[in-house]
Amino acid sequence: MQVNGYIKKTPLIFLIVCAVLFTSYVIVEYGVFAFTEPPAPLVEKEEIQRGSILDRNGKALAVPSAFYDFGASPQSIKNKDLFAQTVAPIIHESEKDIYNLISKSENASFIYLKKQIDSNTYEAVRKACQKAGFGAVVKFDKLQGRVYPENELASQLIGFVGKDGQGLAGIEYSMKDVLFPPQGENGEVIQGKNIYLTIDANLQSNLEKIAHTAMDDTQAESFMLIAAEAKTGEILSYISLPSANLNDFSSASRTELKNKPASDSYEPGSVFKIFSVASFLDTNSITTKDIFLCDGVYAKKTGRETIKITCLDHHGWETAREALKYSCNDALAQMSEKIDSEPFLAKLHALGFGEKPGTEISGETQGVLRSPNDRLWSGRSKPTIAIGQEITVSALQMVQAATAIANGGVPVQLSFVSKITDAQGREEYVHAPVLRDRVFKKTTTDYILDCMETVATSGTGHRADLKDVSIGVKTGTAQMADPNTGAYSKTDFVSNCMAIFPIEDPEIILYIVIEKAKGEQYAGRIVAPVIAKAADVIVDQLGMSRGKASSLAHPGSVSIAGTQPIVLEEYVPNFIGMPKRQLLPLLDYKNIRIKINGDGWVKNQEPPAGTPLTENMEIELYLE
């Protein structure tokens, strides 16, 4: 065979070599591919969900919700007018502002138009942009957010999270590692736990109404209320006014965000006398039969110092019972002479004064309880502390100490957490009462409770008497320090009252503080009536028996009031935070289509709350 003269030998050899090399490469690659395990399919990373906060009955108080930062690519938007007309009404901005924003950045590849829009707005913007042909030019960055279905309810206790999803206050902060656990080093995803608080949301709501009315009536600067179970230490209600709407916490003032019952300390005044008298009796420094003469002023000279403590009246001869009944400063100061400073202070420390209560929330104050070694201690310190001055306490400390009186001399640790469950609802922690070391003999606390009942029936706290439920109270009114002068203010007072009921078998401790009321200041007149109203609500809501109530026969079934049924009328309700069981009756509506996605609580809804209802409208709810 003869090679054509037009074909050069060298190029032909080159082509053959290239073909051989290419064939060899294909064969080798095929072999490697054939004997190598295929790569694992790409798995979408599991999203870590922050746990929910609920009340003791499972009512949602803080639930996870998605927020979105909404942006667009100005250089890709051809019709700026149409774009502005499409998105501006949905994100509640003016068309002019949106148009100017994208026009000024028309060469930019991306800008943010609105940050932290909610899920309903996100869905509306996304659908509108797709319909108008702008689907490819917009972008949404998903953020972990939080929705608080009850708005202001127990706001300082629940707390809130910041834009980055980190807890900044309340339980959201102090228990952030439970709600959003640190992730494992091996890449294991650990979902957030759900925290069930000890508070009862329905009770909290009813007591907050009473609190707001009291604030208005007294024109007070602040109001605090704590209601706790005497035997378990579980706090049923926790109120601090003024309060903040947790869904708009960034607009709240520092005062509205402040957790006053835990962080503020003040001189409690005469309420403290129940702890002083209990300490005197328990150390055998006085007896229940000892009598003391009140002539209107306690006066004593120690060295160069002359001590004078005035009383509101000349009460004459009194036992400890009468001294508490009439809140006598003179008699209490005389009693303090019978005990040395060290055993008296030891009792107060054992009650928890001078130390943080140790609950699950942060920011607790330890107050001020001086010792004889303190440079500010003087000859008047012991009698002054005995009447509730020269000592500062928090509302939490006062309730913590009261558990010893209510529980036969043994304090019970206060708690805000009822239980903790994992993401699947399995219980990982259930609260059990934690008893502290005994402080008083039971005979001592029985006597104090009996004295407190006398205060309620015929003493300074008679406006708190419930008539058909035995209740013991102690009122107190103390001058507040003037921050400008350091001296006591002549216009600002702390008015407070402690209540324990029922006396024969204490179940509830109720403590209320009203600060800087205008006009009337005495706790017996402005706080005791609020104690009666709040105690009445607690008795009814917890189903406690009333001694003088009529006995009624019934078939044995008890109806417990729950959440109100949802009614669809003119507008779409706000479903956010509602449990699935509350939504199921909606499926019975014939002219409205309800679509429920998922389990748990409502995280998003479409259309948004407030949308006018129309016949055959479809409402879609997304639960987590």
Side-chain angles (χ1 to χ4, degrees):
M1 178 179 173
Q2 189 173 11
V3 178
N4 191 316
Y6 289 104
I7 299 177
K8 303 293 185 180
K9 187 176 181 181
T10 301
L12 180 60
I13 294 173
F14 176 76
L15 289 173
I16 294 172
V17 170
C18 288
V20 171
L21 291 175
F22 177 75
T23 303
S24 301
Y25 171 78
V26 171
I27 293 171
V28 170
E29 285 296 312
Y30 178 79
V32 171
F33 179 79
F35 292 98
T36 303
E37 289 188 16
L42 292 176
V43 178
E44 185 178 348
K45 188 176 181 181
E46 184 179 354
E47 185 178 0
I48 304 166
Q49 191 79 280
R50 188 178 183 86
S52 296
I53 300 175
L54 311 98
D55 84 335
R56 66 191 298 120
N57 301 312
K59 187 178 183 65
L61 302 176
V63 293
S65 179
F67 288 92
Y68 300 84
D69 287 344
F70 166 48
S73 172
Q75 66 183 14
S76 301
I77 299 175
K78 305 304 180 185
N79 189 337
K80 297 180 177 59
D81 283 318
L82 178 59
F83 182 81
Q85 292 170 12
T86 301
V87 304
I90 304 174
I91 63 175
H92 304 293
E93 300 288 345
S94 71
E95 292 181 18
K96 181 179 178 181
D97 288 344
I98 296 298
Y99 180 87
N100 290 339
L101 187 59
I102 58 178
S103 295
K104 289 177 182 178
S105 309
E106 60 182 352
N107 295 321
S109 59
F110 182 80
I111 61 169
Y112 283 110
L113 299 175
K114 185 94 171 186
K115 292 203 169 185
Q116 284 201 299
I117 62 174
D118 60 32
S119 299
N120 294 328
T121 306
Y122 155 73
E123 284 292 342
V125 173
R126 184 181 63 81
K127 290 178 180 178
C129 287
Q130 285 180 344
K131 185 176 180 180
F134 296 113
V137 302
V138 295
K139 180 185 176 184
F140 301 91
D141 294 334
K142 187 176 180 180
L143 308 170
Q144 283 240 359
R146 209 67 161 157
V147 168
Y148 302 93
E150 301 301 318
N151 297 315
E152 292 186 21
L153 191 85
S155 60
Q156 292 92 346
L157 171 59
I158 297 168
F160 51 87
V161 299
K163 292 181 179 180
D164 58 356
Q166 293 298 313
L168 298 179
I171 291 292
E172 292 276 35
Y173 169 76
S174 62
M175 301 192 70
K176 57 186 177 183
D177 287 346
V178 176
L179 291 163
F180 197 84
Q183 299 305 298
E185 296 180 359
N186 59 358
E188 177 189 4
V189 173
I190 305 174
Q191 293 294 345
K193 318 291 185 186
N194 300 313
I195 296 176
Y196 289 73
L197 300 180
T198 55
I199 67 167
D200 183 314
N202 290 332
L203 177 63
Q204 177 83 12
S205 177
N206 290 331
L207 293 180
E208 284 190 7
K209 292 174 185 175
I210 292 174
H212 280 289
T213 300
M215 281 271 286
D216 293 339
D217 291 345
T218 60
Q219 300 179 55
E221 189 172 291
S222 66
F223 181 102
M224 293 179 271
L225 180 152
I226 300 176
E229 289 185 345
K231 295 180 175 64
T232 67
E234 293 190 356
I235 294 175
L236 298 173
S237 181
Y238 187 81
I239 298 173
S240 179
L241 299 181
S243 57
N245 183 341
L246 293 177
N247 291 307
D248 189 25
F249 71 87
S250 59
S251 300
S253 66
R254 293 183 64 181
T255 303
E256 291 171 329
L257 296 174
K258 193 171 187 182
N259 187 355
K260 291 178 67 66
S263 64
D264 274 16
S265 63
Y266 52 90
E267 293 186 350
S270 295
V271 174
F272 197 78
K273 290 172 182 174
I274 58 175
F275 306 119
S276 299
V277 172
S279 300
F280 303 153
L281 287 168
D282 209 71
T283 55
N284 299 317
S285 301
I286 65 168
T287 69
T288 58
K289 295 181 180 180
D290 289 345
I291 56 174
F292 305 87
L293 177 62
C294 169
D295 58 7
V297 62
Y298 170 81
K300 184 179 181 182
K301 189 168 184 178
T302 57
R304 298 180 180 179
E305 184 180 12
T306 299
I307 304 166
K308 276 192 176 183
I309 297 176
T310 59
C311 200
L312 292 175
D313 205 343
H314 295 67
H315 296 114
W317 290 100
E318 300 173 302
T319 63
R321 179 185 298 277
E322 284 78 45
L324 290 175
K325 176 180 177 179
Y326 299 117
S327 201
C328 180
N329 290 342
D330 190 353
L332 261 290
Q334 292 179 55
M335 292 179 203
S336 73
E337 292 181 2
K338 308 292 184 180
I339 188 172
D340 291 335
S341 298
E342 286 76 9
F344 179 37
L345 295 174
K347 287 291 185 184
L348 300 185
H349 277 293
L351 287 169
F353 296 112
E355 64 181 46
K356 295 181 179 181
T359 66
E360 297 87 353
I361 55 177
S362 60
E364 295 178 334
T365 181
Q366 63 184 29
V368 175
L369 178 57
R370 296 192 180 101
S371 72
N373 297 324
D374 193 291
R375 65 182 181 84
L376 295 177
W377 185 273
S378 68
R380 68 176 295 117
S381 293
K382 186 173 54 168
T384 306
I385 290 173
I387 64 172
Q389 296 177 357
E390 206 171 310
I391 178 175
T392 66
V393 304
S394 70
L396 266 180
Q397 284 178 320
M398 290 291 282
V399 175
Q400 179 67 74
T403 63
I405 302 294
N407 203 41
V410 180
V412 185
Q413 175 63 50
L414 295 179
S415 177
F416 289 104
V417 177
S418 174
K419 67 178 180 179
I420 298 173
T421 66
D422 64 14
Q424 286 72 45
R426 294 185 292 263
E427 292 181 350
E428 294 192 353
Y429 165 83
V430 176
H431 174 259
V434 177
L435 303 181
R436 294 187 173 189
D437 294 337
R438 177 177 288 279
V439 180
F440 301 126
K441 297 185 286 288
K442 189 174 186 303
T443 52
T444 299
T445 59
D446 285 346
Y447 178 77
I448 295 297
L449 287 171
D450 199 43
C451 291
M452 291 176 70
E453 186 174 21
T454 301
V455 176
T457 55
S458 57
T460 60
H462 68 274
R463 291 176 176 85
D465 192 16
L466 297 181
K467 308 303 181 185
D468 56 359
V469 175
S470 61
I471 185 171
V473 301
K474 183 67 192 82
T475 61
T477 308
Q479 290 174 285
M480 299 180 71
D482 187 328
N484 297 320
T485 64
Y488 283 116
S489 170
K490 294 181 180 180
T491 58
D492 298 337
F493 291 82
V494 170
S495 310
N496 60 138
C497 184
M498 180 72 72
I500 298 174
F501 58 93
I503 288 298
E504 59 274 8
D505 185 18
E507 294 182 40
I508 301 296
I509 299 167
L510 175 62
Y511 182 55
I512 293 177
V513 184
I514 297 177
E515 289 186 331
K516 298 184 181 180
K518 304 295 187 296
E520 182 60 72
Q521 304 280 356
Y522 286 109
R525 294 173 184 163
I526 65 172
V527 188
V530 185
I531 284 282
K533 292 177 183 176
D536 260 330
V537 169
I538 293 170
V539 168
D540 288 341
Q541 192 144 339
L542 299 187
M544 299 168 64
S545 62
R546 292 183 179 271
K548 296 179 182 179
S550 301
S551 296
L552 300 175
H554 62 83
S557 61
V558 179
S559 176
I560 301 175
T563 53
Q564 294 295 320
I566 305 168
V567 179
L568 299 181
E569 294 178 335
E570 296 182 21
Y571 301 97
V572 175
N574 182 7
F575 295 101
I576 303 300
M578 291 186 179
K580 189 172 185 178
R581 63 178 179 274
Q582 193 177 351
L583 304 172
L584 296 180
L586 295 174
L587 300 176
D588 295 333
Y589 278 85
K590 304 300 182 185
N591 57 343
I592 300 291
R593 290 176 292 168
I594 305 295
K595 187 175 180 182
I596 300 175
N597 303 296
D599 294 295
W601 298 273
V602 178
K603 177 182 176 183
N604 302 315
Q605 70 178 75
E606 177 64 31
T611 303
L613 278 171
T614 58
E615 193 170 356
N616 296 321
M617 172 184 278
E618 180 176 284
I619 299 175
E620 194 161 5
L621 306 175
Y622 302 89
L623 282 63
E624 286 190 3

